[in-house]
């Protein structure tokens, strides 16, 4: 992987464990010459991630809609900053610029971005590995919900396995680097979710 898109919160809850995980992720990415693609903000976890990448000499590529630049939340110290018209263009460009995707803790926007690209992966619209950095168990309930979707036959086990998860940034990047993406689209033909 040459670049990873990181979805994360525009807020930061002050958790030192999360801050440490962000710094470790930035270190491993910079050390492996993996560029950061992200939402272009200077606030919250986004800002922490960008600043940590910059501190480690890594390349930072932000993609932000004009209305957020107008609110003065854009990060001005990045390697590249792409200003787009809307949130849809933002997600599409971030996906186009990356080779892998990681979700860090965040709110509704983070989940929305993650599930859209995960759905694109399931549909075969891209083949980037998708990971969750499950810092301090933040996404335990979300991961359990995915398991319930499999148990209730709304999600194929093969597609549940597309979500790579670790609490350790180094392990997550390594798992993603070695992952072969194989979504199962058979349900289009036979509607069989077993």
């Amino acid at each position: 992987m040459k670049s990873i898109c990181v979805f994360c919160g525009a807020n930061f809850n002050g958790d030192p464990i999360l801050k440490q995980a962000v710094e470790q992720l930035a270190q491993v990415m910079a050390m492996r010459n993996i560029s950061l693609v992200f939402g272009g903000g200077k606030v919250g976890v986004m800002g922490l991630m960008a600043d940590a990448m910059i501190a480690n000499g890594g390349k930072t590529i932000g993609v932000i809609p004009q209305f957020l630049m107008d609110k003065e939340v854009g990060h001005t110290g990045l390697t590249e900053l792409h200003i787009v018209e809307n949130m849809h263009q933002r997600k599409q460009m971030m996906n186009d610029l990356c080779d892998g995707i990681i979700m860090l803790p965040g709110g509704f926007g983070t989940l929305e971005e993650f599930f859209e690209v995960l759905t694109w992966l399931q549909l075969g619209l891209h083949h980037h590995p998708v990971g969750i950095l499950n810092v301090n168990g933040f996404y335990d309930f979300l991961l359990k919900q995915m398991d319930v979707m499999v148990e209730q036959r709304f999600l194929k086990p093969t597609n549940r396995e597309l979500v790579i998860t670790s609490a350790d940034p180094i392990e997550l990047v390594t798992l993603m680097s070695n992952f072969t993406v194989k979504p199962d689209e058979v349900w289009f033909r036979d509607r069989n979710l077993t």
Side-chain angles (χ1 to χ4, degrees), residues 43-132:
V43 294
V45 179
M46 270 197 293
L48 290 175
M49 186 69 206
D51 291 342
M53 282 294 291
I54 292 166
N56 282 281
K59 184 176 179 182
T60 52
I61 304 166
V63 183
I64 192 167
Q66 183 64 56
F67 80 91
L68 288 178
M69 282 301 290
D70 294 342
K71 293 179 185 286
E72 299 182 350
V73 298
H75 199 302
T76 56
L78 307 177
T79 311
E80 296 174 24
L81 182 61
H82 300 273
I83 300 174
V84 296
E85 290 181 21
N86 56 53
M87 298 292 277
H88 297 291
Q89 290 177 351
R90 180 196 217 180
K91 283 181 289 190
Q92 186 65 59
M93 181 176 275
M94 286 193 295
N95 190 65
D96 291 344
L97 291 172
C98 77
D99 304 308
I101 297 154
I102 291 176
M103 179 171 65
L104 296 177
F108 284 154
T110 302
L111 287 176
E112 185 272 332
E113 290 170 328
F114 176 79
F115 278 110
E116 183 155 9
V117 298
L118 183 57
T119 302
W120 292 349
L121 175 60
Q122 180 179 272
L123 294 171
L125 300 177
H126 72 79
H127 293 93
H128 310 319
V130 173
I132 295 177

